[in-house]
Amino acid sequence: MNAIRIDGKAIAEALRARVARDVALLQAECNVIPGLAVVLVGKDPASSVYVKTKAKQAQAVGFNSRQFLLPSNVGEAELLELIEELNTNDAIDGILVQLPLPGHINRWRVLEAINPAKDVDGFHPYNVGRLAAGRPALVPCTPLGVVHLIKTVVSDLSGLNVVVIGRSNIVGKPLAILLGDAGCTVTGAQLQTRNLPDLCRNADIVVAAAGCAGLVRGDWLKAGSIVIDVGINRAIDSAGTAKLVGDVAFAEASERASHITPVPGGVGPMTVAYLLANTVDAAVSRRGLSLVPTPDAPTLCHLAP
Ligand code: GUN
């Protein structure tokens, strides 16, 4: 079998186009321009690239896009002060603080300081709890992107066996909830899980989010399964060139899977696209509005009070 590549880049582009239409509608009907504030502490090269991409794409869909680049030695109190300003700034609908933060800053004090209504990462315990309880919430972007990619292959997930490898707050845990809500039987696995290859061999869908390059081998996979690779690992190839690789041994896995996401160009672009979608959701629900797809033109939305 030679797996079909799931083109996350193209799927994310379509989602961003929908977000841009919603932004235009919000502006035309309510004079609202969604505002997204992205905060970076320090100069970690990977985080700097992510933050730049997020801010650039926010601008491209018509947001009021603000970047706050703070020195790595900024005090926690100063960062909390900035968050409080953004919480009360009516032009800002979404606040994202790029992780990881330097060691002298308490990540939880920072994440819990963000107004849950502007928490477009979905990391605040309020939103985490709402998601777990099945209540409307701002949901982490990468898991939303993963479910979206899977649904481009199978629209009805009920009854499918899924193994999610990795149990981070950003990906594995919220993803297990979303997939469970969609009717999947979810096995939450991690690097220490016994019989991990056997568990994967029984799975219709394998999601690898363990941060371990090439972990999932071709012979771990059931023929015809769907493989979603969330890993982004830096590696050196045989010619000595640095490149990004996922958590899945791509060539081997492509021989067994029916569909597979590449790295890069799979899950990554979906994370940024859902950040934009979450910001529109936050802008709309903060004002007591909703974007309703009309039945005759599902991509054209109108606002309902
Ligand atoms: N660091 C790695 N992924 C993410 C993410 O989705 N959001 C934030 N804020 N930081 C991250």
Side-chain angles (χ1 to χ4, degrees), residues 42-67:
K43 289 199 165 121
D44 175 76
S47 292
S48 300
V49 171
Y50 294 140
V51 160
K52 235 184 246 167
T53 304
K54 288 168 183 178
K56 200 169 133 199
Q57 294 196 3
Q59 192 165 23
V61 295
F63 286 2
N64 166 20
S65 173
R66 305 276 311 273
Q67 263 188 89

Side-chain angles (χ1 to χ4, degrees), residues 35-257:
L36 174 64
V38 179
V39 180
L40 174 66
V41 180
K43 289 199 165 121
D44 175 76
S47 292
S48 300
V49 171
Y50 294 140
V51 160
K52 235 184 246 167
T53 304
K54 288 168 183 178
K56 200 169 133 199
Q57 294 196 3
Q59 192 165 23
V61 295
F63 286 2
N64 166 20
S65 173
R66 305 276 311 273
Q67 263 188 89
F68 296 85
L69 307 176
L70 307 180
S72 60
N73 64 352
V74 72
E76 185 179 299
E78 208 178 317
L79 177 57
L80 291 172
E81 225 170 86
L82 170 63
I83 290 171
E84 196 41 43
E85 267 172 47
L86 296 169
N87 281 341
T88 53
N89 182 344
D90 202 42
I92 296 298
D93 297 289
I95 303 168
L96 177 145
V97 178
Q98 186 68 24
L99 301 177
L101 287 167
H104 68 281
I105 295 178
N106 182 316
R107 173 175 52 124
W108 282 113
R109 267 203 289 273
V110 171
L111 295 180
E112 290 179 18
I114 295 172
N115 176 352
K118 298 187 177 187
D119 169 37
V120 285
D121 257 328
F123 294 166
H124 192 291
Y126 175 86
N127 282 312
V128 175
R130 301 257 310 176
L131 172 65
R135 303 277 294 133
L138 285 163
V139 176
C141 305
T142 303
L144 286 172
V146 168
V147 172
H148 187 130
L149 292 177
I150 294 170
K151 285 190 169 172
T152 65
V153 180
V154 269
S155 52
D156 181 6
L157 304 189
S158 66
L160 297 181
N161 286 330
V162 187
V163 172
V164 177
I165 311 171
R167 53 187 304 281
S168 68
N169 292 331
I170 295 182
V171 185
K173 287 187 207 166
L175 179 59
I177 295 173
L178 289 179
L179 291 169
D181 289 348
C184 297
T185 301
V186 183
T187 302
Q190 48 196 310
L191 288 176
Q192 305 92 311
T193 299
R194 291 184 200 171
N195 307 326
L196 186 53
D198 279 339
L199 287 174
C200 291
R201 283 183 198 112
N202 192 39
D204 303 299
I205 302 170
V206 173
V207 181
C212 180
L215 171 73
V216 176
R217 307 304 302 252
D219 67 359
W220 291 22
L221 299 170
K222 177 160 102 173
S225 54
I226 298 168
V227 178
I228 307 291
D229 193 348
V230 185
I232 304 177
N233 309 289
R234 266 150 249 285
I236 308 289
D237 70 12
S238 51
T241 313
K243 60 175 199 164
L244 291 181
V245 296
D247 286 0
V248 176
F250 185 83
E252 292 175 14
S254 297
E255 293 297 315
R256 304 273 301 171

